Amino acid sequence: MSQERKIMPAVPVRDVVVFPSTIIPLFIGRDSSIESIKQAITGEGFLFLVTQIKATTDIPQQNEVYSVGTICKIPQVLKLPDGSYKVLIEGVARGQLMTWDQGDFIKATVMELHDDHQPARDDQPALIKVLLTKYAQYIKITGTVSNIESLGPLSKVTNLSTLCDLIASQLPLSIELKQGILSTPSSSERLEKTMLALQQEIEWLKIDQKINAKIKERITDDQEKYYRNQKLRVIQQELEEGLSEDDPAVTEQGELAKKIKALKLPKESNEKVMAELDKLKMMPPMSAEATVVRMYLDWVVALPWHKRSKSDHDINRVAKKLDVHHFGLEKVKDRILQLLAVQKRVKVVSGPILCLVGPPGVGKTSLGQSVADAMGRPFVRISLGGVRDEAEIRGHRKTYIGSMPGRIIKAIKRAGVKNPLILLDEIDKMGMDYRGDPASALLEVLDSEQNQKFSDHYLEIDFDLSEVLFITTANSLNIPTALRDRMEIIQLSGYTEKEKITIATRYLLPTALKQNGLKKEELFCTPNAMINIVRAYTKESGVRGLNRMLNLLCRKVLLEQLKHQESSKSKPGLKAKKVSQQNLVKYLGVARYDRTVLKRCDQIGVVNGLAWTELGGEVLKIESVMYPGKGGVHYTGSLGDVMKESIKTAISVVRKFSGKYKVNEALFKSHDLHVHVPEGATPKDGPSAGIGMCTAILSVLTDTPIHATVAMTGELTLVGDVLAIGGLKEKLLAALRYKITDVIVPEANRRDMHEMPIEITKGLKVHFVNHIVEVFPLALQEKHT
């Protein structure tokens, strides 16, 4: 026996004895045991496993575990989602526990035990054969698949001691018997104990089989049927009558019955719910199905079937509240006030569905919260971005494991009333896959004629959504037609420069000061500095980027003042910091955007187009060049099919009017034409660049410069007519940002000008045209026209 002692991490285990030469999985959950596993992995790789005397002990001491355990290796470790570990353990050798140090993990001093040194026995092969024969007899009686499969590997074992350990680990012995075999140092004594335990198991199995055979002979088919019927009758009586009135299950069912009655549901819905309650009474309280039914009833009684919030119908007060939280957005505010006016006059009115469409950062989501506050309704936001499962809207059937109602019913429960304001955010970002189309599931929700009887798959009873005020938001109108038809679309355009400055001064800067721990008197931003922040550090339709810049400014000022305070010996209080146009670069860095980036010199073949994107309007360069070739036409810039067709249409229009503008027809055969729309990595499509492409092509063919301060937008037909376009306000705002002076737009869009802010109408000279021939004199230099 070796006297070598080793220090290694130890793990006490419950209800299991690990033998050498065996491999078993263990689940480790105690913090100290998990730390021991980690120490073993990062250390020499050995771990000492020892069995607890009492399995109920949570933190066993040395006197509460057996003195002999097993030194093991860890071939594999798997961390489970609940934080516990599944560890594959391989027994190596027996070990005698010497010391036990309890800390963050158990550190044990272990002396490795070896079999007693005995001369080789000539009868060892015979003993192995006898032991295997006895084990085969045991397997035959049990007949279990796992035991039968274990016989093959065991028949190849040539070491008697190892065979005893392997067979002992397979037998269903008590912990005391297994620990006795493990603690026996002599292989011959271990063989005797294993043979004795194996023989006892065989005898017990024979007796059990004999008893079962006799019982089976005595029970006839009629007796068995009678027994089962009597047993079922007793169980039913226990469920119906055996429970006392004080029993928790009876009390809970009585409370549920009272709550269901108080809901005053429609007859059909009440019958459905009461049937579920009757079903619950017949089930064992701890069964899985009873849990499902109980959760369903909890959801039913938790919903506000008749509870409503008292809305504020004072129109003037609501209007003031809306103005306090949001600047501008007059169209949305006016629509909300119209709704209140109708509700004030008509007691029951179906809730309209408003869809706020606009670029990011213009206040669509926050407007929903402000409307709810102004009207005195609870507010619930549901984010639909990335939702691809229909069950997210309608819920799962309650027969599925883990089923729950859909997001609409969850929102109603969270609000606590049946007339909340529910904001369906990013409705244009929904998808669809094999799990269904959530946009189609919303058709019933957002239809005021149908949502009075909205049916969630989980509830399976109708719920009235007609009093809910739904507001949806989207960045674009990329919404299914049927769904869009159920909503009232309200377009939110980007803010003008003046509006951004007002929003930043009134709302964003005071909020940024508060969020960053600055007082109002500690930072003063001059009007010129604020104008420069809007012009040189942001380029967006909304104010989200502007808000980030103001927060950055507050953090930089705070950091500078705190550094100065800490370096000063007298440690004076923070002084007011004036941020002006001169020191703005110090805090925000070099200007990020140059509004003069558009070249102010007139160029041949380069025209300023106006484009609409989901982020707002943008000025888009359209470039055209001509070079010797064979009459080919090339176009680049990630152009879509519609834009490519616009180029072909523009060439045909130029050729149609080639005589009027003295275009040499031979150029179309002797030269190639190339049209490019920067930025090349950004996909572009749409017909509104038609007149811009035609102007650029004519400029190249006639060698005529185009005014750099002119921008244009309009769809071009083959006969030269200019058709109406969309997104006019966003495009004019973009022209204003880039200091364009003259804008050419279709005559059909003149009707849109009455909604334009004064800043646009005064800052831009808008020219309305019906035909392409009216565009050329406005865009090309006069001496060539």
Side-chain angles (χ1 to χ4, degrees):
M1 183 180 296
S2 172
Q3 299 299 319
E4 181 183 359
R5 301 187 180 189
K6 296 180 180 179
I7 298 176
M8 62 184 69
V11 172
V13 294
R14 297 183 174 101
D15 296 329
V16 65
V17 177
V18 181
F19 286 87
S21 304
T22 61
I23 299 177
I24 65 170
L26 289 178
F27 291 90
I28 307 297
R30 284 186 287 216
D31 294 339
S32 60
S33 299
I34 292 174
E35 187 62 31
S36 295
I37 296 294
K38 294 179 180 179
Q39 292 294 328
I41 294 172
T42 57
E44 297 180 357
F46 289 101
L47 181 71
F48 184 62
L49 289 184
V50 60
T51 306
Q52 296 179 195
I53 297 175
K54 291 184 178 180
T56 56
T57 306
D58 288 332
I59 305 176
Q61 304 299 319
Q62 184 173 357
N63 61 347
E64 294 176 309
V65 298
Y66 289 102
S67 59
V68 176
T70 305
I71 301 172
C72 304
K73 288 184 178 179
I74 307 176
Q76 188 179 22
V77 176
L78 178 64
K79 186 176 181 180
L80 300 178
D82 61 355
S84 62
Y85 283 73
K86 182 180 180 182
V87 184
L88 197 64
I89 298 295
E90 179 182 359
V92 177
R94 289 171 170 76
Q96 177 75 43
L97 176 62
M98 306 304 294
T99 63
W100 184 272
D101 184 9
Q102 185 87 37
D104 292 338
F105 67 97
I106 301 172
K107 189 185 298 181
T109 304
V110 181
M111 182 172 66
E112 184 176 347
L113 301 177
H114 297 278
D115 293 342
D116 291 343
H117 294 288
Q118 297 176 353
R121 298 177 56 169
D122 296 335
D123 60 347
Q124 179 165 307
L127 292 173
I128 291 176
K129 186 174 182 180
V130 170
L131 184 58
L132 286 173
T133 302
K134 186 63 69 175
Y135 184 65
Q137 184 182 357
Y138 165 76
I139 289 174
K140 185 177 181 181
I141 297 174
T142 60
T144 57
V145 177
S146 59
N147 287 336
I148 295 172
E149 292 177 348
S150 67
L151 186 59
L154 289 176
S155 62
K156 299 178 182 180
V157 177
T158 58
N159 184 281
L160 183 61
S161 177
T162 301
L163 184 61
C164 290
D165 289 339
L166 292 174
I167 290 178
S169 67
Q170 296 287 339
L171 296 178
L173 305 177
S174 65
I175 296 298
E176 291 76 12
L177 284 176
K178 285 192 175 184
Q179 185 65 39
I181 296 174
L182 179 69
S183 303
T184 303
S186 172
S187 59
S188 58
E189 292 180 13
R190 201 178 308 135
L191 173 63
E192 293 176 3
K193 289 185 177 182
T194 305
M195 288 289 287
L196 178 61
L198 191 56
Q199 185 62 42
Q200 287 177 344
E201 288 295 319
I202 292 172
E203 294 300 327
W204 289 337
L205 286 172
K206 287 181 179 180
I207 294 172
D208 185 59
Q209 287 182 345
K210 189 180 295 184
I211 293 173
N212 289 335
K214 289 181 179 180
I215 293 174
K216 190 173 183 180
E217 291 174 1
R218 293 177 183 176
I219 298 179
T220 63
D221 292 341
D222 292 339
Q223 288 174 326
E224 185 175 356
K225 185 177 181 179
Y226 174 78
Y227 169 76
R228 289 177 178 173
N229 289 334
Q230 290 297 320
K231 188 175 181 179
L232 180 60
R233 185 175 299 173
V234 171
I235 291 173
Q236 289 176 343
Q237 290 176 353
E238 288 291 330
L239 288 173
E240 296 175 2
E241 304 172 0
L243 297 176
S244 66
E245 294 183 358
D246 296 332
D247 190 278
V250 175
T251 304
E252 179 189 27
Q253 293 165 9
E255 291 294 326
L256 283 173
K258 291 180 182 178
K259 291 179 180 177
I260 292 171
K261 186 177 181 181
L263 295 178
K264 297 181 180 179
L265 298 174
K267 181 179 179 181
E268 184 179 346
S269 299
N270 188 70
E271 290 176 354
K272 163 70 177 174
V273 177
M274 292 305 298
E276 293 292 330
L277 181 60
D278 294 338
K279 192 187 301 182
L280 178 64
K281 293 178 180 179
M282 297 293 292
M283 297 177 183
M286 300 307 294
S287 66
E289 190 174 358
T291 303
V292 173
V293 176
R294 193 181 301 112
M295 183 179 295
Y296 169 80
L297 294 174
D298 288 341
W299 267 101
V300 171
V301 300
L303 289 175
W305 295 92
H306 302 288
K307 186 178 180 181
R308 298 172 176 84
S309 63
K310 187 176 181 181
S311 299
D312 188 352
H313 290 93
D314 189 319
I315 295 177
N316 291 325
R317 184 162 58 240
V318 172
K320 290 179 181 179
K321 288 182 180 179
L322 291 174
D323 290 336
V324 166
H325 292 95
H326 283 80
F327 178 78
L329 306 179
E330 300 302 331
K331 188 185 294 186
V332 186
K333 295 177 183 177
D334 186 58
R335 182 62 185 86
I336 298 299
L337 296 178
Q338 293 172 19
L339 170 64
L340 286 179
V342 174
Q343 287 186 343
K344 191 172 183 179
R345 181 62 63 89
V346 183
K347 292 184 179 180
V348 180
V349 59
S350 298
I353 289 84
L354 306 180
C355 182
L356 309 181
V357 180
V362 296
K364 300 185 297 296
T365 303
S366 60
L367 183 65
Q369 177 71 68
S370 298
V371 171
D373 293 341
M375 297 178 66
R377 294 195 184 195
F379 173 77
V380 183
R381 174 181 171 270
I382 300 176
S383 177
L384 297 178
V387 171
R388 308 177 69 84
D389 189 355
E390 178 196 357
E392 292 280 348
I393 307 299
R394 286 188 173 275
H396 300 82
R397 301 286 181 187
K398 65 176 181 292
T399 52
Y400 296 110
I401 297 175
S403 58
M404 295 288 284
R407 293 194 182 192
I408 303 298
I409 294 298
K410 286 181 181 178
I412 296 291
K413 180 186 175 184
R414 192 158 66 246
V417 295
K418 66 177 300 183
N419 64 336
L421 188 151
I422 296 180
L423 180 75
L424 302 177
D425 212 6
E426 307 291 354
I427 198 171
D428 58 329
K429 304 298 190 302
M430 289 188 298
M432 62 178 294
D433 58 13
Y434 65 93
R435 292 168 293 187
D437 182 8
S440 299
L442 278 175
L443 294 177
E444 181 184 4
V445 176
L446 300 182
D447 191 334
S448 58
E449 300 298 328
Q450 299 180 27
N451 61 10
Q452 295 178 1
K453 294 186 177 182
F454 172 70
S455 178
D456 186 275
H457 287 162
Y458 181 81
L459 293 180
E460 296 179 335
I461 56 178
D462 295 337
F463 191 91
D464 185 6
L465 297 178
S466 62
E467 297 182 40
V468 178
L469 176 58
F470 287 102
I471 295 181
T472 67
T473 70
N475 293 132
S476 69
L477 286 175
N478 186 24
I479 305 170
T481 305
L483 185 59
R484 189 169 65 238
D485 183 61
R486 284 163 167 78
M487 299 184 293
E488 182 178 339
I489 306 297
I490 299 178
Q491 294 277 1
L492 300 184
S493 304
Y495 293 112
T496 65
E497 182 179 287
K498 183 179 179 181
E499 289 174 334
K500 287 184 180 181
I501 294 171
T502 304
I503 292 171
T505 305
R506 293 186 186 178
Y507 304 98
L508 301 183
L509 184 57
T511 303
L513 291 172
K514 184 177 180 180
Q515 289 177 347
N516 293 280
L518 285 172
K519 296 180 181 179
K520 186 177 181 180
E521 59 271 12
E522 291 176 345
L523 188 150
F524 173 71
C525 187
T526 64
N528 288 336
M530 187 65 74
I531 293 172
N532 202 34
I533 293 174
V534 172
R535 290 178 177 175
Y537 292 90
T538 62
K539 188 181 75 169
E540 56 178 347
S541 297
V543 292
R544 195 168 286 153
L546 178 59
N547 187 41
R548 282 194 287 267
M549 287 294 106
L550 294 176
N551 275 279
L552 174 61
L553 177 64
C554 292
R555 293 195 300 270
K556 287 288 188 71
V557 170
L558 178 63
L559 178 62
E560 181 186 36
Q561 297 203 34
L562 288 178
K563 283 183 177 179
H564 175 72
Q565 182 184 15
E566 292 175 358
S567 62
S568 176
K569 294 182 180 179
S570 59
K571 292 187 177 181
L574 295 178
K575 297 181 179 179
K577 176 62 65 175
K578 181 179 179 181
V579 178
S580 62
Q581 189 171 358
Q582 288 71 30
N583 62 0
L584 194 59
V585 176
K586 175 183 176 182
Y587 298 106
L588 299 183
V590 179
R592 300 186 179 187
Y593 304 103
D594 184 5
R595 297 293 165 80
T596 61
V597 69
L598 299 177
K599 293 185 177 180
R600 295 305 171 188
C601 60
D602 299 346
Q603 292 180 279
I604 296 174
V606 180
V607 66
N608 297 321
L610 296 175
W612 179 92
T613 70
E614 291 186 6
L615 302 179
E618 190 59 64
V619 175
L620 203 65
K621 286 286 187 181
I622 300 174
E623 301 174 346
S624 180
V625 296
M626 186 175 59
Y627 47 85
K630 297 182 179 180
V633 178
H634 309 281
Y635 31 76
T636 54
S638 298
L639 307 183
D641 292 338
V642 177
M643 225 168 190
K644 293 175 183 177
E645 291 176 356
S646 296
I647 295 174
K648 296 177 182 178
T649 302
I651 294 174
S652 298
V653 171
V654 170
R655 297 191 69 170
K656 178 180 179 180
F657 294 101
S658 60
K660 180 177 180 179
Y661 295 102
K662 299 178 182 179
V663 177
N664 187 359
E665 275 288 337
L667 294 175
F668 292 104
K669 296 181 179 180
S670 61
H671 287 72
D672 284 358
L673 194 65
H674 186 169
V675 178
H676 176 68
V677 184
E679 302 161 347
T682 305
K684 311 167 193 71
D685 204 4
S688 62
I691 64 173
M693 291 175 173
C694 187
T695 304
I697 293 170
L698 181 64
S699 170
V700 168
L701 292 172
T702 60
D703 199 29
T704 308
I706 300 173
H707 294 301
T709 56
V710 174
M712 60 187 70
T713 177
E715 181 179 353
L716 182 64
T717 69
L718 203 56
V719 296
D721 290 334
V722 181
L723 303 183
I725 47 88
L728 180 62
K729 182 178 179 181
E730 287 80 2
K731 293 178 180 180
L732 295 182
L733 284 173
L736 201 62
R737 286 200 303 268
Y738 283 94
K739 301 186 185 305
I740 298 293
T741 59
D742 294 78
V743 178
I744 302 173
V745 299
E747 176 68 33
N749 287 102
R750 186 187 290 271
R751 61 179 181 269
D752 299 325
M753 292 302 295
H754 74 278
E755 297 181 354
M756 296 298 165
I758 298 178
E759 187 177 353
I760 290 179
T761 56
K762 287 188 176 181
L764 292 173
K765 187 175 182 181
V766 182
H767 305 272
F768 298 97
V769 295
N770 282 309
H771 198 272
I772 189 65
V773 295
E774 301 174 37
V775 176
F776 298 147
L778 297 171
L780 302 175
Q781 287 187 0
E782 292 183 3
K783 61 180 180 180
H784 294 280
T785 58

